[in-house]
Structure formats: structure tokens, C-alpha cells
Amino acid sequence: MNLAMKKIIIGNWKMNPRTAKEATLLAREIRRGIKNIKNVEVVLAPPFIFLRDVVGIVSDNPGLKLGAQDAFWEREGAYTGEISVAQLKALGVSYVVIGHSERRALGETDAMINKKLKAILGAGMRAVLCVGEQEKTKNEAFPQIIRDELGFGIAGIKKTFFKNLIIAYEPIWAVGTGRADTPKNIYEISVLIRRELYRAIGRRAAERIPVIYGGSVDSKNAKIFIREGAVDGLLVGGASLNHKKFIKIVKEAGVL
Ligand code: PGA
């Protein structure tokens, strides 16, 4: 955990809520609730269709940022259904989550994630690269899959771009299951992720990369993850749809 860094709390709304009205309300409630919290960067990542509704709500609050849940690597052209990094940037998006396990499960490969990462970082936006193992592993201290997802994900990326990279450790078995990881394991894996980054890109670049945790984070366990898990922030799914819970998570991160 880098103590000089602002904590990063990201609300991944996934394919929720149903209407623009509900999305606007949720974003407004969150903005009101976190108004006075200074040392936390809060990112709201609604579905693409609500980005325009939410951008006006986050834009007058410096601690609140707009995130997207994915982006395509090409700038423009015949790519039906895709949204480019340039389009997101033009709309006011400054964070993009990439390689989420739910997208990998739909067929997204490390090669695609690598191209997306290059496009996002190349545009000067912050990229949140999700990595994590499928099953809880007892005999493998640092699951090979995490090493691979990190290695392939950041392959060929210019050193100067690493300042905008964030790694989200999200064990798949903990995502959306209500079975969060233990602070001890989060601590150990985050240390191993950092060590892997040191090895791959050198200490100076690696030190600046925040490592955050996601997987069944709620208002009750958030504090202990940041304190004992020693992570730089949290990626919150389900609990980010409830403004009271999400605000509490942000506040817990703010007082640490
Ligand atoms: P969850 O989702 O908090 O609902 O487990 C986390 C995520 O998918 O980022």
C-alpha cells in the first residue's frame, strides 16, 4: 500500500440500473454523500448507455470521476456494437475497467485486453486491469493465471504509460458470491502482484501502480480490506448500487 496515494474506490454498476432516471438518482445520492471526503478518488462506472446522464453529475466534483466498463481499441470504423476509447474520452470518461472476469468469461482474451490497454493508456486515460484466479487455491501461493494475465496484459506497453495503470485483484470465486477473500490472502497476493510488476517493469514504474481489491466488498468488510489487506482501493460491484452502502465504503477508505 502506498500511503501517499489517494485511495481509489470504483463502483462497477455492471448492467444496472434499468433506467436513466435511476442511474441519475444513484449518482446524485452518491455525490451528495461523499461531498466532504477529500483523500479518496471515487469512480462511478455505469453502463455505456448512462454515461451521458452521469457525466454532468460527476463533472463539478473533483474527487468524483466517470469510468467505463470496457472500451474497444480501434479509433473508429466498421465495428458494430463497439465503443472506442476516443468516444469515451470525448464524453468525459477518465477511467476504463478492462479484462473484468465477466468479460473474460464471454470470450475476451489476453490479446484483446492488451490492445485495449494500449489504446486506453495511449489516450492518457486511467486503465483498471482486472486479474484473478478462478478457484480458491491452497497449493499455489501465486496462481499462474494471475502472472499470465498481468504479463500478457501489460506486454509491450510503453514505460511512460504505466503511471495511469491500476491493477484490480479480483478472485473470480469472490466476485458476486458474497464470499469475499480474507485480508491475509489479499495482502499476500497484492505483495506478489507488486513483486511481479517490479520484475517486469522495474521498481520505479511499479511503485506508482495502485493495486486494488474487488470481490464481495461491502460496507462491513471494506475497512479491514484496506487496513489489513494493504490495498490502495476497492472495486465494488453489488454494493455500489446501494448509495448508502457505497457512501459508507468511501467514508471507511477516507478515514484510514
Ligand atoms: P461484487 O463485484 O462486489 O458484486 O462481488 C465486484 C466486481 O465485479 O468488480
Side-chain angles (χ1 to χ4, degrees):
M1 176 163 55
N2 186 332
L3 292 172
M5 249 179 223
K6 260 189 176 185
K7 295 283 172 289
I8 302 163
I9 305 293
I10 304 174
N12 174 13
W13 294 3
K14 308 192 179 185
M15 203 170 68
N16 301 291
R18 199 155 55 89
T19 64
K21 200 169 161 199
E22 290 169 85
T24 308
L25 193 67
L26 178 58
R28 282 215 185 98
E29 297 277 21
I30 292 170
R31 179 182 63 180
R32 188 175 319 139
I34 63 160
K35 204 165 62 223
N36 300 320
I37 303 169
K38 298 225 157 40
N39 52 345
V40 185
E41 176 111 319
V42 180
V43 183
L44 303 185
F48 290 133
I49 193 168
F50 302 139
L51 286 170
R52 186 174 283 287
D53 301 286
V54 176
V55 71
I57 299 164
V58 305
S59 60
D60 59 352
N61 187 323
L64 194 51
K65 296 278 173 352
L66 189 61
Q69 298 172 20
D70 188 26
F72 194 60
W73 58 84
E74 296 289 352
R75 282 191 68 80
E76 60 199 354
Y79 302 100
T80 303
E82 297 294 350
I83 311 275
S84 76
V85 165
Q87 288 171 327
L88 294 172
K89 192 173 180 182
L91 198 59
V93 170
S94 50
Y95 280 70
V96 184
V97 177
I98 220 78
H100 190 281
S101 55
E102 288 156 12
R103 296 210 54 81
R104 292 183 192 260
L106 291 171
E108 191 159 279
T109 63
D110 284 319
M112 290 159 79
I113 292 164
N114 179 254
K115 284 198 225 176
K116 291 180 177 190
L117 208 52
K118 283 178 180 154
I120 298 160
L121 297 174
M125 296 160 83
R126 297 197 89 180
V128 183
L129 171 64
C130 302
V131 299
E133 76 282 10
Q134 189 81 40
E135 310 275 347
K136 200 169 179 133
T137 47
K138 280 214 171 69
N139 40 12
E140 213 185 356
F142 191 40
Q144 183 63 36
I145 183 79
I146 300 180
R147 202 169 283 160
D148 289 346
E149 286 174 347
L150 273 177
F152 291 128
I154 65 172
I157 287 178
K158 280 197 206 152
K159 263 205 170 157
T160 50
F161 288 171
F162 285 121
K163 64 177 189 301
N164 280 329
L165 178 64
I166 295 162
I167 303 294
Y169 170 52
E170 293 215 309
I172 298 170
W173 50 268
V175 172
T177 59
R179 288 193 300 130
D181 201 354
T182 60
K184 183 171 172 282
N185 192 56
I186 294 169
Y187 175 74
E188 284 169 9
I189 298 279
S190 68
V191 168
L192 294 166
I193 287 176
R194 279 176 220 285
R195 197 176 294 165
E196 190 69 14
L197 290 170
Y198 286 168
R199 213 185 44 77
I201 62 171
R203 194 175 199 102
R204 276 191 56 189
E207 257 167 13
R208 298 168 66 181
I209 299 179
V211 179
I212 67 176
Y213 167 76
S216 298
V217 173
D218 61 32
S219 47
K220 297 192 183 79
N221 60 23
K223 191 172 184 166
I224 194 146
F225 288 151
I226 293 194
R227 185 181 297 164
E228 291 176 24
V231 282
D232 299 303
L234 300 165
L235 179 50
V236 188
S240 72
L241 296 169
N242 176 314
H243 72 270
K244 288 196 181 126
K245 287 187 185 165
F246 190 66
I247 291 163
K248 185 147 185 266
I249 292 170
V250 174
K251 286 188 174 157
E252 300 285 18
V255 297
L256 292 166

